[in-house]
Amino acid sequence: MKKTIAVLPGDGVGPEIIDQAVKVLQKVAKIYHHEFSFEYGLIGTTAIEKTGNPLPDQTLKLCKDSDAILFGAIGDQKYDNDPSAKIRPEQGLLELRKSLALFVNIRPIFVFPTLINSSPLKAEVVKDSDFIVIRELTGGIYFGKPRMRKNHGKTAIDTSIYSESEIERIARVAFEISRKRNKNVVSIDKANVLETSRLWRETVTKTGKEYPDVELSHMFVDTASMQIIKNPQQFDVILTENMFGDILTDEASVISGSIGLLPSASIGERHALYEPIHGAYNKAAGKNTANPIAAILSVEMMLKYSFHLVKEWKCIWNAVVKTLEEGWRTKDLVAKETEKEKVIGTKEMGDKITNNI
Ligand code: IPM
Ligand code: MG
């Protein structure tokens, strides 16, 4: 198979984790005789510094012309601490999601048996947790207009908008995915307060009637944020809107033991982007300490969802499992090194996983 992959390492720890993911893809290509070519593009802070634009036209074109996009991380404290900045790195990613209409965000939450003790939650709570969050990615308060300041900057407005068709198309994805799993969808909203959530619940219920084999229930987001860490085993597929999905998936990463483990796929009709769910974590940039597993599993998702290469994605998953079973850990996964659990760097973890393929 011949594929062109747009690679956008981005900010912070992005470049070093993406290097490991590319290395893994190159190994897979070699073993299974595929030709993957990698085309690099600028995005985020690095793009602002070099071009003044967090998503340069050239990067957008590169993404449109590629078969899949691999993305690292975005953000910089310089902007986090400067609320008045008009141009912000995150705009690059948000614009890319919007321009490519990547409305489905798939975020699997899983537990590696070897890492059960990495979670601050009790082993009996996290064990066997395995669910997928389907997050709507191009609507809601992230993109609604007006978004502005009034009253000489002393009043701020954000707007959350959802249309029936936007809700229906993401609901269908959740129902379809649940059919390949345990046929159970929990839709999360705040329908006791928000109008968008009432339309959400109404539309999901209506769409759900076309999937009578799938069990559908609804939960308020505040309850869900408690249930996710209290009893995560109850979930199979979670369906939710953009902002709730953003918040709940960071919370859910605690089940896995580290946010450095979790990948995601952002998919539209024509394009797909794969990225770790974690951020740029600038403090660790260039230190060779970040966990590359989320990035490596993001390419596993690419092989699964974009290229449908079953043997290949399975071999990446197995290599990660084996490496963890051998006791190799990045810093985020262990409080203290022991005989059995050895702490290694980003590049070394990438090498171990690559060798296990
Ligand atoms: C994520 C991130 C992004 C989001 C940021 C970087 C814009 O937190 O992918 O979860 O809020 O969607
Ligand atoms: Mg997030």
Side-chain angles (χ1 to χ4, degrees):
M1 188 178 271
K2 233 179 165 166
K3 295 287 179 195
T4 304
I5 297 161
V7 183
L8 315 180
D11 302 329
V13 298
E16 54 205 288
I17 55 160
I18 288 303
D19 280 351
Q20 310 315 311
V22 168
K23 194 155 70 188
V24 164
L25 272 178
Q26 279 163 334
K27 178 78 180 275
V28 169
K30 195 165 153 207
I31 296 179
Y32 292 97
H33 310 290
H34 299 301
E35 257 180 69
F36 297 147
S37 60
F38 301 95
E39 307 266 356
Y40 283 74
L42 291 173
I43 194 162
T45 313
T46 21
I48 297 175
E49 276 159 12
K50 291 199 177 132
T51 70
N53 182 353
L55 178 66
D57 295 344
Q58 216 183 343
T59 301
L60 183 59
K61 180 167 187 316
L62 177 76
C63 292
K64 283 186 171 160
D65 293 343
S66 68
D67 297 303
I69 305 156
L70 176 61
F71 174 83
I74 212 157
D76 192 300
Q77 270 149 344
K78 191 166 76 194
Y79 295 93
D80 297 346
N81 297 329
D82 176 12
S84 67
K86 288 268 172 305
I87 298 175
R88 315 184 65 83
E90 288 82 1
Q91 290 162 348
L93 177 61
L94 296 174
E95 224 178 288
L96 188 59
R97 288 175 180 168
K98 194 73 176 173
S99 315
L100 301 181
L102 308 174
F103 67 96
V104 186
N105 187 219
I106 306 178
R107 298 190 161 187
I109 310 292
F110 44 78
V111 179
F112 290 110
T114 40
L115 294 184
I116 251 174
N117 294 315
S118 298
S119 174
L121 301 172
K122 292 197 187 88
E124 72 251 34
V125 172
V126 301
K127 102 174 155 10
D128 304 325
S129 298
D130 175 12
F131 58 94
I132 288 194
V133 179
I134 307 295
R135 168 187 174 195
E136 199 290 329
L137 202 60
T138 51
I141 203 161
Y142 269 61
F143 294 98
K145 294 224 168 76
R147 161 191 309 266
M148 59 185 203
R149 291 285 183 103
K150 279 201 336 196
N151 190 17
H152 308 289
K154 299 202 183 306
T155 304
I157 301 175
D158 285 299
T159 307
S160 181
I161 304 183
Y162 268 112
S163 67
E164 188 185 50
S165 59
E166 278 176 311
I167 301 168
E168 189 186 322
R169 70 175 178 176
I170 190 73
R172 284 191 189 286
V173 174
F175 288 123
E176 292 295 340
I177 286 183
S178 85
R179 276 188 166 162
K180 296 189 190 121
R181 298 176 52 98
N182 295 329
K183 302 193 173 68
N184 184 299
V185 173
V186 179
S187 173
I188 292 172
D189 62 36
K190 187 72 186 170
N192 50 346
V193 176
L194 301 176
E195 203 53 47
T196 42
S197 278
R198 284 192 275 272
L199 179 64
W200 182 276
R201 193 174 281 218
E202 201 178 292
T203 309
V204 171
T205 304
K206 199 160 81 188
T207 311
K209 297 226 178 346
E210 294 173 41
Y211 301 83
D213 51 321
V214 178
E215 194 183 323
L216 168 67
S217 57
H218 304 271
M219 204 181 269
F220 292 138
V221 64
D222 45 355
T223 311
S225 69
M226 174 178 64
Q227 288 299 329
I228 275 179
I229 46 173
K230 197 175 169 197
N231 178 14
Q233 288 118 334
Q234 72 185 287
F235 296 107
D236 180 39
V237 174
I238 285 178
L239 163 64
T240 195
E241 62 98 68
N242 205 346
M243 173 110 113
F244 297 159
D246 177 46
I247 298 169
L248 292 176
T249 49
D250 264 34
E251 190 198 8
S253 75
V254 175
I255 299 166
S256 302
S258 167
I259 197 165
L261 294 168
L262 298 179
S264 80
S266 305
I267 301 177
E269 300 292 342
R270 302 229 306 269
H271 304 279
L273 176 148
Y274 298 85
E275 59 165 318
I277 79 164
H278 63 72
Y281 199 45
N282 301 80
K283 267 192 286 195
K287 295 201 173 139
N288 196 42
T289 54
N291 190 341
I293 293 181
I296 290 170
L297 292 177
S298 296
V299 303
E300 177 243 20
M301 288 188 88
M302 178 188 291
L303 300 186
K304 183 193 268 178
Y305 289 99
S306 280
F307 304 159
H308 311 289
L309 294 171
V310 180
K311 282 198 299 282
E312 289 84 339
W313 73 253
K314 284 192 173 157
C315 87
I316 297 181
W317 178 267
N318 292 338
V320 170
V321 170
K322 179 151 188 270
T323 307
L324 292 171
E325 278 170 2
E326 289 168 352
W328 305 110
R329 303 282 183 269
T330 41
K331 223 173 92 190
D332 53 313
L333 298 173
V334 275
K336 217 169 83 219
E337 195 169 57
T338 61
E339 265 302 289
K340 278 205 201 123
E341 295 186 306
K342 296 272 177 242
V343 174
I344 53 176
T346 309
K347 179 177 175 297
E348 291 68 32
M349 183 59 102
D351 288 340
K352 298 275 179 207
I353 295 170
T354 307
N355 288 335
N356 277 334
I357 288 177

